[in-house]
Amino acid sequence: MAIGYYFFALIGIFACVTNAEATGTDQPMFTFGGFGSLGVSHSSMRLGDYTLDSTIPKGAGLSEDWSTGNDSRIAGHLAAQFTPKVSAVLQVVSEYNAGNSYQPEVEWANVKYAFTPDAYIRVGRIALPTFLDSDNRDVGYSYVWIHPPIELYRQLAIAHSDGVDAMYRVDIGEVGNTIKAIIYGENTIERATSKSISKDMWGIFDTIEYGPTTTHVGYQKRLSASENLQTGVTGAWVRNSDLSVGVNYDPGNWFAMSEWIQRKSTTNITAMYVSGGYRVKKFTPYLTYSQNSQGSFLPGFPPPSSNSILLANRAQSTVSLGVRWDFMKNTDLKLQYDQVKLSDNSNGFLANVPTNVNLYGTTFHVISAVVDFVF
Amino acid sequence: MKPLEIIRNCLILSLLLAMSMVTASAHADVVVIVSAKSSITLLTAAQTTRIFLGKVDSFPDDSDAFPIDQAEGSAIRDEFYSKVVHKSPSQLAAYWAKVIFTGDGRPPEMLESDMAVRKAVAKNPNAIGYIDKSAVDKSVRVILAP
């Protein structure tokens, strides 16, 4: 959190130093905007909760008949352009979280120094560009689905890091190439009974854009440990390395995209999805298949506890069929049906499944509706 | 209805739909312009797209590019983005939602009419805009007629 204070201190300094200086364009120094989603979901599985994220304490299924927890949020975004080279971003998001509340949290707070329009360095709380849509995954209005495919995006253990990153963009003819590097980062995720701590994070991410095609490759490493909030005991530090690859083809009337990740820590897990859609006037029907593998334990670690075996066995797959309807300016309505199949030895990502209940091999259904907006 | 009749009706309906689309797109003639003082003479649709989506901030010859948009909801804007960028108004709004809320950029400045865009482009050698073909005069140069 210390970095947050540095950020506000920096903003103050820059604001004073640059107050009188013209920014070079007619655009205002501060711009405020925001986005939000209002969603409900219902699950046919009554023995576990269908939750999007490990920080969400309860959801549709066991705890609630209809739940608003997965897809409802509101966020404010303040951008400041102090000089042509110095800018800052503050984004605060209120969504259902581990504290069983919608307590707002600072998602991003960083100051950017642009050496040229094609090269910058940022300090503060920064989004991790693991996937094609990981830094805009909260902005439902910016993509077609109700939410990004759960099997892949649950592998995005960390959405942001506190630290330093840099970007360099170079164009070769009509090919745009953007390289981002996390130079240093750390992160803490709070859950109901535990805390995940990450440090010594670094990563490199390359995005190539050519006409309607975008490809994205990322590699990141960090050390992680889990702190038990009841006992206060922190477990051993584990080295994590994630390799992610994605491709998106969007010529205008239709799109197809696919992403894949391999995560290595004490286990090796892969996850992927393929998705496609077709745009008919204001309607975009889409179809997605996504899956994640069971974690296989890697050699060289102490024998896993029963809890880590449970956490590693979360293989499931989903077929999603949905439609996005752009019925109003800056507003959309989406409906989605998911058929979720749990693997033969897994309760998947279901939360709050009572002890000794096994749902191995079960198939269940989820329906969701959401309204997304930007302002 | 017999299956053959259903197929025939479907064919007629799709033909009518196709015809209505052709007439709709023949409505206005958008052209992309720079100042007559600019050294740019020709741009491809792909190069224009990258400038208006903020993916580059310079022309192919490395001089600064300053794109100027027309008002949201205007017919000329919708035509430009559909013909050149291949995005509908809502696709474009979704694109900018992603860019703005990731802190990666801002949409181009907006002016209210063909006349205002022509005037602004004429006096700035780095500006690029789009207007109806009928509004072109000697102060600007057409570099793309999609």
Side-chain angles (χ1 to χ4, degrees):
Chain A
M1 201 55 242
I3 280 182
Y5 300 120
Y6 290 130
F7 168 75
F8 289 110
L10 279 172
I11 277 201
I13 293 164
F14 283 126
C16 296
V17 171
T18 60
N19 203 17
E21 199 175 325
T23 54
T25 69
D26 295 335
Q27 303 227 7
M29 182 183 282
F30 290 98
T31 42
F32 179 76
F35 55 87
S37 301
L38 219 68
V40 289
S41 52
H42 170 80
S43 167
S44 70
M45 166 56 68
R46 311 318 300 250
L47 290 166
D49 286 339
Y50 187 74
T51 58
L52 207 57
D53 198 284
S54 60
T55 61
I56 299 175
K58 60 180 203 282
L62 176 69
S63 305
E64 292 170 302
D65 198 14
W66 288 87
S67 170
T68 53
N70 276 349
D71 303 305
S72 301
R73 66 181 61 83
I74 187 145
H77 180 98
L78 181 69
Q81 187 78 44
F82 299 118
T83 73
K85 288 189 176 213
V86 181
S87 60
V89 162
L90 175 68
Q91 186 159 302
V92 177
V93 181
S94 164
E95 62 186 344
Y96 192 46
N97 58 31
N100 202 8
S101 74
Y102 282 83
Q103 171 82 35
E105 282 174 13
V106 175
E107 184 71 15
W108 307 336
N110 59 68
V111 177
K112 181 199 282 188
Y113 182 83
F115 300 96
T116 72
D118 295 323
Y120 68 64
I121 182 161
R122 291 188 296 186
V123 180
R125 181 164 289 184
I126 294 158
L128 276 190
T130 309
F131 297 129
L132 283 166
D133 286 307
S134 49
D135 46 359
N136 59 302
R137 78 199 186 294
D138 283 344
V139 193
Y141 187 76
S142 69
Y143 46 79
V144 69
W145 315 296
I146 288 247
H147 44 245
I150 177 167
E151 284 79 3
L152 189 88
Y153 276 72
R154 286 281 301 230
Q155 310 298 334
L156 177 77
I158 293 172
H160 56 68
S161 90
D162 294 336
V164 183
D165 84 337
M167 184 280 279
Y168 179 62
R169 188 169 70 177
V170 60
D171 292 319
I172 306 145
E174 292 192 1
V175 180
N177 188 22
T178 307
I179 301 167
K180 274 187 182 171
I182 299 287
I183 296 162
Y184 177 82
E186 49 187 63
N187 171 284
T188 303
I189 297 174
E190 309 236 357
R191 301 200 176 83
T193 57
S194 69
K195 217 156 79 167
S196 284
I197 309 160
S198 297
K199 64 176 190 184
D200 293 350
M201 196 179 335
W202 65 265
I204 185 142
F205 309 86
D206 189 34
T207 306
I208 296 172
E209 290 174 286
Y210 176 63
T213 310
T214 305
T215 62
H216 180 78
V217 181
Y219 182 71
Q220 62 199 74
K221 284 191 105 138
R222 66 193 159 94
L223 287 173
S224 73
S226 181
E227 181 187 328
N228 186 318
L229 290 178
Q230 269 121 35
T231 61
V233 174
T234 303
W237 289 96
V238 176
R239 183 158 291 285
N240 293 250
S241 61
D242 301 348
L243 174 68
S244 48
V245 179
V247 60
N248 178 13
Y249 183 75
D250 188 342
N253 286 336
W254 60 282
F255 72 91
M257 62 195 293
S258 181
E259 290 187 86
W260 174 88
I261 190 170
Q262 179 184 52
R263 287 182 69 189
K264 279 186 181 169
S265 53
T266 54
T267 59
N268 181 2
I269 295 176
T270 59
M272 59 78 73
Y273 74 85
V274 280
S275 184
Y278 190 82
R279 301 186 178 97
V280 193
K281 306 244 170 197
K282 291 179 185 301
F283 295 92
T284 311
Y286 58 89
L287 184 66
T288 306
Y289 173 76
S290 55
Q291 62 156 72
N292 65 300
S293 76
Q294 181 188 328
S296 55
F297 286 90
L298 294 167
F301 294 100
S305 65
S306 59
N307 189 46
S308 29
I309 291 175
L310 206 66
L311 286 175
N313 290 352
R314 312 191 90 173
Q316 65 173 48
S317 64
T318 303
V319 176
S320 306
L321 181 65
V323 63
R324 169 180 169 137
W325 177 26
D326 285 283
F327 70 103
M328 226 172 93
K329 191 183 166 191
N330 292 336
T331 313
D332 70 51
L333 168 72
K334 297 168 183 168
L335 303 172
Q336 185 170 315
Y337 161 75
D338 300 305
Q339 186 192 61
V340 186
K341 191 175 181 332
L342 306 178
S343 291
D344 291 339
N345 56 353
S346 143
N347 284 344
F349 290 118
L350 287 171
N352 305 328
V353 177
T355 334
N356 302 328
V357 168
N358 96 51
L359 304 165
Y360 301 173
T362 318
T363 297
F364 62 95
H365 314 276
V366 180
I367 48 170
S368 321
V370 68
V371 172
D372 299 304
F373 52 91
V374 292
F375 57 93
Chain B
M1 259 194 287
K2 288 178 205 153
L4 265 176
E5 278 179 50
I6 295 174
I7 293 171
R8 195 196 60 193
N9 288 346
C10 284
L11 281 174
I12 291 173
L13 187 67
S14 46
L15 201 65
L16 283 173
L17 271 173
M19 278 161 64
S20 67
M21 280 177 204
V22 169
T23 44
S25 66
H27 223 62
D29 264 326
V30 67
V31 290
V32 178
I33 53 163
V34 291
S35 167
K37 293 182 275 185
S38 163
S39 56
I40 309 294
T41 53
L42 215 61
L43 224 53
T44 65
Q47 287 164 335
T48 309
T49 296
R50 300 182 71 216
I51 291 172
F52 274 88
L53 294 184
K55 292 183 188 291
V56 287
D57 31 43
S58 55
F59 288 107
D61 70 355
D62 274 344
S63 59
D64 288 347
F66 181 70
I68 300 173
D69 248 334
Q70 296 233 24
E72 276 178 57
S74 66
I76 192 87
R77 177 185 167 109
D78 292 353
E79 201 204 337
F80 170 76
Y81 279 101
S82 122
K83 268 189 175 174
V84 177
V85 183
H86 304 300
K87 282 192 193 297
S88 69
S90 49
Q91 275 173 272
L92 188 70
Y95 170 79
W96 282 114
K98 174 170 176 162
V99 175
I100 292 167
F101 296 125
T102 50
D104 277 345
R106 294 187 200 184
E109 276 186 48
M110 249 187 298
L111 290 174
E112 286 298 324
S113 66
D114 281 350
M115 227 85 83
V117 171
R118 188 186 65 208
K119 248 175 96 177
V121 168
K123 69 175 184 202
N124 183 350
N126 293 110
I128 172 170
Y130 53 86
I131 58 176
D132 193 87
K133 200 174 161 186
S134 63
V136 172
D137 68 9
K138 277 189 301 192
S139 68
V140 294
R141 179 184 307 126
V142 173
I143 54 166
L144 174 66

